[in-house]
């Protein structure tokens, strides 16, 4: 999966507006493609298996739990909308996989400069955007260092770690370049494609736009070659 993760320089080159556009487009996919949900779910699962990222399977327990709870009234002889429950569960499952794909390709803190248009919230949003990725990194470390402790103790350790003052005012919004405009048009075009007969192709194209734009195939080749020689 390492070849899919943007380096710091690559994140800085990706314009915050394109990050926000990509986030909205990817999270909208399950709600536009209601007739292709099974195909999308299989595609996403194969993708995560291919990059050996297993975290997504843990999150898929949530839609399974939802479907199980919604089918529970059958035990007492009640009637339910089986098809509606199944479609909702499938939509949630694809939403989960789409969101995991978003977080793999981009980072939410990249949108920090967009919040400078709200002067009163600039400092607050900067602190929140700075602490979220830190929390995500700290949680696995605390679980490993305190494996036998209760959840309350683990959360306390995380809280103590983050009591340090955080200064993270978002930087200025960079100017749009020709490359940014082109990339935005491509993402916007794929987003618009979700409303056309080519909706399935547009959904597959959305994540590939960022992978291709950062030389993901090139990085994957070198990553594969390095592992093979090792």
């Amino acid at each position: 999966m390492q070849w899919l993760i943007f380096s710091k320089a690559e994140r800085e080159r990706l314009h915050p507006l394109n990050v926000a556009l990509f986030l909205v487009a990817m999270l909208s996919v399950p709600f536009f493609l209601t007739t292709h949900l099974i195909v999308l779910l299989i595609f996403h699962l194969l993708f995560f298996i291919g990059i050996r990222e297993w975290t997504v399977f843990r999150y898929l327990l949530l839609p399974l739990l939802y479907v199980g709870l919604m089918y529970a009234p059958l035990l007492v002889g009640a009637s339910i909308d089986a098809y509606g429950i199944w479609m909702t569960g499938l939509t949630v499952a694809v939403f989960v996989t789409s969101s995991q794909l978003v977080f793999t390709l981009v980072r939410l803190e990249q949108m920090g400069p967009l919040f400078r248009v709200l002067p009163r919230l600039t400092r607050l949003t900067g602190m929140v955007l700075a602490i979220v990725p830190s929390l995500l990194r700290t949680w696995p470390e605390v679980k490993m260092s305190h494996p036998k402790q209760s959840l309350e103790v683990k959360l306390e350790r995380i809280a103590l770690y983050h009591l340090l003052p955080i200064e993270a005012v978002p930087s200025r919004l960079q100017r749009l370049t020709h490359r940014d405009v082109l990339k935005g048009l491509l993402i916007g075009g794929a987003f618009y494609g979700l409303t056309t007969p080519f909706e399935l192709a547009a959904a597959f194209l959305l994540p590939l736009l960022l992978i291709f734009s950062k030389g993901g195939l090139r990085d994957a080749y070198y990553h594969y070659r390095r592992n093979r020689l090792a």
Side-chain angles (χ1 to χ4, degrees), residues 122-137:
T122 295
R123 181 178 175 83
L124 175 61
T125 53
M127 294 174 66
V128 171
L129 289 170
I131 200 173
V132 167
S134 182
L135 284 170
L136 295 177
R137 288 193 300 267

Side-chain angles (χ1 to χ4, degrees), residues 60-207:
L60 286 178
L61 294 175
L62 295 175
L64 285 176
L65 179 62
Y66 164 80
V67 172
L69 291 174
M70 292 298 100
Y71 273 87
L74 291 175
L75 299 176
V76 294
S79 60
I80 61 172
D81 181 6
Y83 178 77
I85 293 173
W86 162 251
M87 290 303 297
T88 302
L90 200 56
T91 302
V92 174
V94 177
F95 179 82
V96 169
T97 53
S98 296
S99 64
Q100 289 299 300
L101 190 54
V102 169
F103 301 146
T104 299
L105 294 176
V106 297
R107 295 293 180 266
L108 294 183
E109 62 266 26
Q110 291 174 244
M111 295 188 294
L114 296 178
F115 291 96
R116 290 182 65 91
V117 299
L118 304 172
R120 293 182 179 274
L121 294 179
T122 295
R123 181 178 175 83
L124 175 61
T125 53
M127 294 174 66
V128 171
L129 289 170
I131 200 173
V132 167
S134 182
L135 284 170
L136 295 177
R137 288 193 300 267
T138 307
W139 174 244
E141 297 174 3
V142 171
K143 285 199 301 183
M144 291 178 61
S145 60
H146 299 76
K148 297 182 180 179
Q149 297 293 336
S150 64
L151 178 61
E152 290 79 8
V153 173
K154 294 177 182 177
L155 293 177
E156 182 182 1
R157 297 300 303 175
I158 292 178
L160 290 174
Y161 180 83
H162 288 92
L163 284 178
L164 299 174
I166 296 176
E167 295 292 338
V169 176
S171 58
R172 288 187 176 275
L173 188 64
Q174 64 201 55
R175 290 184 178 181
L176 279 169
T177 64
H178 294 295
R179 180 183 300 177
D180 297 326
V181 173
L182 177 60
K183 196 174 299 180
L185 289 175
L186 290 174
I187 297 174
F191 189 21
Y192 174 76
L194 296 178
T195 63
T196 68
F198 304 101
E199 53 185 9
L200 192 59
F204 289 149
L205 181 63
L206 266 172

Side-chain angles (χ1 to χ4, degrees), residues 1 45-55 57 223 227:
M1 189 185 70
L45 295 181
L46 290 175
F47 178 82
F48 283 109
I49 291 173
I51 64 174
R52 299 180 183 179
E53 177 59 45
W54 313 110
T55 309
F57 297 100
H223 182 69
N227 289 344

Side-chain angles (χ1 to χ4, degrees), residues 199-229:
E199 53 185 9
L200 192 59
F204 289 149
L205 181 63
L206 266 172
L208 295 179
L209 287 174
L210 287 190
I211 294 175
F212 289 155
S213 67
K214 71 174 290 287
L217 294 181
R218 176 205 61 205
D219 297 344
Y221 169 75
Y222 285 110
H223 182 69
Y224 168 78
R225 186 177 179 183
R226 184 170 62 251
N227 289 344
R228 188 178 181 183
L229 293 176

